[in-house]
Amino acid sequence: MRQPLVVGNWKMHGSRASVASLLDSLVAAQRLSGAEVAVCPSHVHIAQAVERCAGTQIAVGGQDCSHAEEGAYTGDVAAAMLADLGCRWVIVGHSERRQYYGESDALVAAKASAAVSVGLQPIICVGETRAQREANEAEAVVAAQIQGALQAQEDLAGLVIAYEPVWAIGTGLTASPEQAQQMHAYIRSLLEGIANVDAQTTRILYGGSVKPGNASELFAGEDIDGALVGGASLVADDFRAILECAARQR
Ligand code: PEP
């Protein structure tokens, strides 16, 4: 049995004041049972989030980490720094990082490995572009990303995969429940072939314009174990509603 997980990716949004008010609303709603929840604010708001979520069921994560342990990497944040702040999770390989910063599968693999080495649970994002889906390359692209990120890892404790079709992120377009379930089942079949991964217990999240109105039908897919939520996670009522859908799914 895989416990549903819903993760909010706040991207580069927020101020101390708006983060405080969003966290207040979420903390008030965290009595939900059945779904695990995490929020990933910008690095500068992590300490504030960890402090506010202490003693609640809400875990905190980073949106990215360095592949390097420490050193002369101006602007980077080490996985150990996130762990030291109290993070449990870190997103790696988000399509915005791949697209705007040219992150390769090898770099994503190194970041995931850096995360696991300090006890963080990596959420590894994969997904195809619209052109790749239209060219019938979606599965091949996702397979290359999964294998590139996971194949050579010795330890993948706590791994979570997020399937996020790039064409659905922040666009209002969502994969149909059938498209999403089909890809999630395919990802699980790929995980079966990877050493050090337990495919049946690894959670696979869907991401891409998840909202209260489409969450339940997405979560009905047997291989869809929750969501990575961008835009809707910045609206407390919407994020809460998505969490309720996930909790009911259990
Ligand atoms: C994301 O950025 O991970 C995401 C899924 O965004 P949105 O929900 O806004 O599409």
Side-chain angles (χ1 to χ4, degrees):
M1 190 65 182
R2 298 178 293 267
Q3 185 180 27
L5 169 66
V6 178
V7 180
N9 173 13
W10 292 355
K11 308 197 187 190
M12 197 171 70
H13 291 292
S15 60
R16 284 185 62 77
S18 69
V19 162
S21 114
L22 188 49
L23 289 169
D24 283 347
S25 307
L26 295 180
V27 166
Q30 55 95 25
R31 279 170 227 95
L32 290 169
S33 58
E36 197 178 340
V37 57
V39 294
C40 299
S42 83
H43 287 150
V44 298
H45 294 127
I46 284 176
Q48 182 186 357
V50 168
E51 192 177 328
R52 185 67 187 89
C53 296
T56 76
Q57 292 169 355
I58 304 172
V60 179
Q63 297 174 14
D64 183 39
C65 68
S66 176
H67 65 289
E69 211 173 300
E70 64 173 348
Y73 297 92
T74 301
D76 265 10
V77 170
M81 295 170 177
L82 297 176
D84 185 46
L85 279 179
C87 286
R88 182 187 309 166
W89 299 98
V90 64
I91 299 169
V92 294
H94 192 281
S95 64
E96 287 152 12
R97 304 282 325 164
R98 294 178 189 261
Q99 184 183 347
Y100 303 138
Y101 304 99
E103 294 195 359
S104 63
D105 291 328
L107 183 60
V108 174
K111 289 182 174 202
S113 166
V116 171
S117 74
V118 297
L120 292 177
Q121 292 182 249
I123 301 169
I124 300 181
C125 301
V126 298
E128 80 287 356
T129 63
R130 180 177 208 142
Q132 289 163 337
R133 178 160 281 268
E134 285 170 359
N136 272 331
E137 291 167 3
E139 289 192 350
V141 167
V142 167
Q145 290 172 332
I146 294 272
Q147 272 141 12
L150 304 186
Q151 201 73 270
Q153 305 279 3
E154 282 175 16
D155 183 2
L156 288 161
L159 167 76
V160 165
I161 301 290
Y163 168 59
E164 300 205 302
V166 178
W167 48 271
I169 296 180
T171 59
L173 300 172
T174 315
S176 68
E178 295 74 28
Q179 281 173 323
Q181 166 55 28
Q182 195 178 355
M183 185 61 90
H184 281 232
Y186 177 64
I187 291 171
R188 202 172 301 287
S189 74
L190 293 171
L191 296 179
E192 297 279 6
I194 294 179
N196 304 323
V197 175
D198 180 347
Q200 290 312 312
T201 57
T202 299
R203 287 177 288 186
I204 306 174
L205 311 183
Y206 172 79
S209 299
V210 176
K211 302 181 196 69
N214 59 22
S216 279
E217 53 179 10
L218 285 163
F219 296 157
E222 75 174 288
D223 291 291
I224 301 179
D225 305 314
L228 179 54
V229 186
S233 70
L234 294 164
V235 180
D237 286 348
D238 286 357
F239 193 57
R240 264 201 314 246
I242 293 168
L243 270 173
E244 274 164 28
C245 294
R248 275 201 301 271
Q249 211 57 47
R250 215 178 164 210

